[in-house]
Amino acid sequence: MPSTNTVIIGAGHCGLAMSACLTARSIDHVILERAEVANSWRTQRWDSLRLLTPNWMTRLPGYQYRGADPDGYLSARGVAAMLADYAHASAAPVRTGTTVTSVRAAGGGYVVHTDQGVWHAPTVVLASGAAAVPTTPGLARLVPAGITSVTPARYRSPAGLPPGGVLVVGASSGVQLADELHRSGRPVTLAIGEHVRMPRTYRGRDILWWLDAAGVLDQRYDEVDDLVRARNVPSMQLVGTPGRTVDLNALSSAGVRLTGRLAGIQDGVAQFSGSLPNVCALADLKLGRLLDTIDAWAGTAGERFAPTAVRTAPLGLDLRSGEISTIVWATGYRPDLSWLHVPVLDRKGRIVHDGGVTASPGLYVMGLPFLRRRKSTLIDGAAGDAAELTAHLAGHLDALAGRRERSAS
Ligand SMILES: Cc1cc2nc3c(=O)[nH]c(=O)nc-3n(C[C@H](O)[C@H](O)[C@H](O)COP(=O)(O)OP(=O)(O)OC[C@H]3O[C@@H](n4cnc5c(N)ncnc54)[C@H](O)[C@@H]3O)c2cc1C
């Protein structure tokens, strides 16, 4: 059975960042990847996707974007190419085409079964992705026959959907999809629950420049009042187009029909919550607070944006009328840790951890929302998290070595 100090599962940016930090400390390791480096960017992103984060924010341990367009936004293909180059440049020990089928604790370490053999290691890093599986609400099973359901992981472009109207459920990445579908000439309805309103630019700069400079994205997990809540905040409502804000006002002016959260489907009729005005008012309020934080950092007051204008929103939509041919479920993602047989999951199957350190010694996780910082799920968040987890992991290996020495003497 081959052995190494650390098995990293997944060669996305998190696994590669962790690998770079382990290499810097000369910790022997391997990255097991079921497909290719950056698999999720190759296989689970729609054609037009652009990162929401500007190129200058594409930073990894020992890597900083040096291209000609620091204020642009990488395409999914561009991210995949960047990560493949990074893996090559950092000589990451990736075993591609190797699917991990189980991880079990054994002999003070872990036995990792794959479809290419078995590994043994005292430490394991789970970097298999927070957004591995799209989540859809239970009511999705009540959608009448004849309507196509698709998730963002499968959606590629408007041309791939049957002709007709589209109901997009979810207003985070859902705003990007609603915008694209509407521009393709389709009637679009967008069902909106809790969301994080964000202008693309503020005070003449990309909003992410301000969030970065003012330290908002660096806020640590042990500094927030309600970590559970912070970890469940939806992702930012942004579109990766320079200077162009696509918010609910822009969509509604363009002709997208806005409704409240999809609350139920009864006898083929989609029922929407009447809470849209409240949900929008709350998002406006939170945006105002965020801009206040930025202004306090900048020392002067900046502009304010028009409140979200909510016109009368329909409370029901007959899905059998033929008006809607497709529902896009932009309702979030979850990790897939079905192969993890170590008792570190709660009863909902979520991994329990303290800043990426699990209660099972030597078992770590990367890339989850607010793992150690507000930016933990962003590419830019991996460097800091990986450095700190590597320090913890190195301490664990040292302790194991010390124990072995003591028992040998
Ligand atoms: C639609 C979308 C847009 C995003 N936009 C941005 C953005 O603008 N800016 C930004 O910074 N971040 C963005 N993110 C967030 C984040 O950067 C990505 O989710 C990123 O892919 C997460 O990296 P990761 O390394 O944690 O996981 P992944 O990239 O998902 O990598 C996990 C890897 O593990 C492999 N794997 C999984 N299971 C196994 C197994 N059992 N055995 C072996 N290998 C396995 C997978 O094949 C995959 O290659 C976005 C995410 C999504 C979903």
Side-chain angles (χ1 to χ4, degrees):
M1 188 187 307
S3 68
T4 181
N5 268 326
T6 306
V7 168
I8 299 174
I9 302 169
H13 79 261
C14 282
L16 296 173
M18 196 70 198
S19 167
C21 292
L22 292 173
T23 299
R25 286 180 178 249
S26 303
I27 296 174
D28 178 49
H29 64 282
V30 66
I31 307 178
L32 305 180
E33 166 57 52
R34 65 183 167 189
E36 286 179 71
V37 166
N39 177 46
S40 63
W41 294 102
R42 297 175 198 277
T43 62
Q44 292 179 14
R45 307 287 188 257
W46 57 94
D47 295 347
S48 68
L49 181 140
R50 294 260 160 195
L51 286 190
L52 308 177
T53 42
N55 290 338
W56 58 262
M57 253 183 102
T58 304
R59 301 179 280 218
L60 286 165
Y63 172 87
Q64 162 79 65
Y65 176 85
R66 301 229 183 276
D69 187 17
D71 297 321
Y73 306 89
L74 279 182
S75 64
R77 201 177 294 166
V79 179
M82 180 275 292
L83 290 177
D85 289 349
Y86 180 66
H88 182 71
S90 56
V94 187
R95 305 260 175 141
T96 54
T98 304
T99 300
V100 171
T101 52
S102 80
V103 175
R104 289 193 158 80
Y110 298 91
V111 176
V112 179
H113 282 260
T114 80
D115 59 356
Q116 304 293 323
V118 183
W119 285 82
H120 184 263
T123 60
V124 167
V125 179
L126 310 170
S128 51
V133 189
T135 51
T136 50
L139 55 79
R141 69 189 149 76
L142 302 174
V143 171
I147 291 192
T148 300
S149 275
V150 66
T151 63
R154 284 288 173 91
Y155 169 81
R156 288 293 167 268
S157 71
L161 302 186
V166 183
L167 169 62
V168 178
V169 183
S172 297
S173 55
V175 296
Q176 299 172 41
L177 302 177
D179 182 45
E180 166 162 296
L181 288 160
H182 175 73
R183 285 158 161 268
S184 76
R186 287 161 186 270
V188 175
T189 303
L190 176 64
I192 302 154
E194 187 191 352
H195 58 275
V196 177
R197 186 180 177 195
M198 200 65 69
R200 183 70 270 180
T201 47
Y202 183 55
R203 301 171 68 128
R205 286 181 180 271
D206 194 293
I207 187 71
L208 284 162
W209 186 90
W210 292 103
L211 298 185
D212 183 57
V216 174
L217 296 174
D218 288 311
Q219 191 180 19
R220 290 183 58 88
Y221 76 115
D222 41 13
E223 285 170 2
V224 289
D225 293 336
D226 186 347
L227 184 58
V228 175
R229 163 101 194 108
R231 284 182 169 158
N232 284 299
V233 168
S235 54
M236 293 176 274
Q237 204 182 61
L238 268 177
V239 174
T241 317
R244 181 167 169 256
T245 292
V246 179
D247 59 9
L248 300 180
N249 283 346
L251 287 179
S252 155
S253 308
V256 172
R257 177 169 54 183
L258 308 184
T259 73
R261 192 175 62 84
L262 178 61
I265 298 177
Q266 200 166 20
D267 300 329
V269 177
Q271 299 164 328
F272 302 109
S273 156
S275 64
L276 184 61
N278 291 346
V279 164
C280 292
L282 188 63
D284 290 352
L285 185 77
K286 287 185 179 167
L287 173 61
R289 279 196 214 131
L290 178 71
L291 300 182
D292 289 346
T293 304
I294 291 173
D295 290 351
W297 180 83
T300 53
E303 76 259 34
R304 286 294 175 268
F305 299 90
T308 308
V310 185
R311 304 196 186 98
T312 319
L315 294 175
L317 176 59
D318 191 346
L319 298 174
R320 297 158 309 186
S321 68
E323 188 186 340
I324 299 291
S325 65
T326 306
I327 300 182
V328 180
W329 299 97
T331 38
Y333 298 86
R334 65 172 173 81
D336 175 12
L337 295 171
S338 50
W339 35 265
L340 181 64
H341 304 293
V342 182
V344 290
L345 304 176
D346 68 13
R347 62 192 166 79
K348 288 191 170 167
R350 294 169 304 203
I351 190 154
V352 180
H353 66 95
D354 179 11
V357 181
T358 76
S360 183
L363 183 67
Y364 301 88
V365 62
M366 279 280 294
L368 299 184
F370 226 131
L371 187 91
R372 296 182 82 85
R373 292 170 176 77
R374 192 173 291 282
K375 64 181 177 186
S376 285
T377 39
L378 298 180
I379 293 170
D380 191 37
D385 290 1
E388 288 172 20
L389 288 180
T390 299
H392 193 288
L393 184 151
H396 178 68
L397 289 176
D398 287 347
L400 287 180
R403 235 175 278 159
R404 267 199 308 273
E405 269 172 32
R406 279 193 298 280
S407 63
S409 59

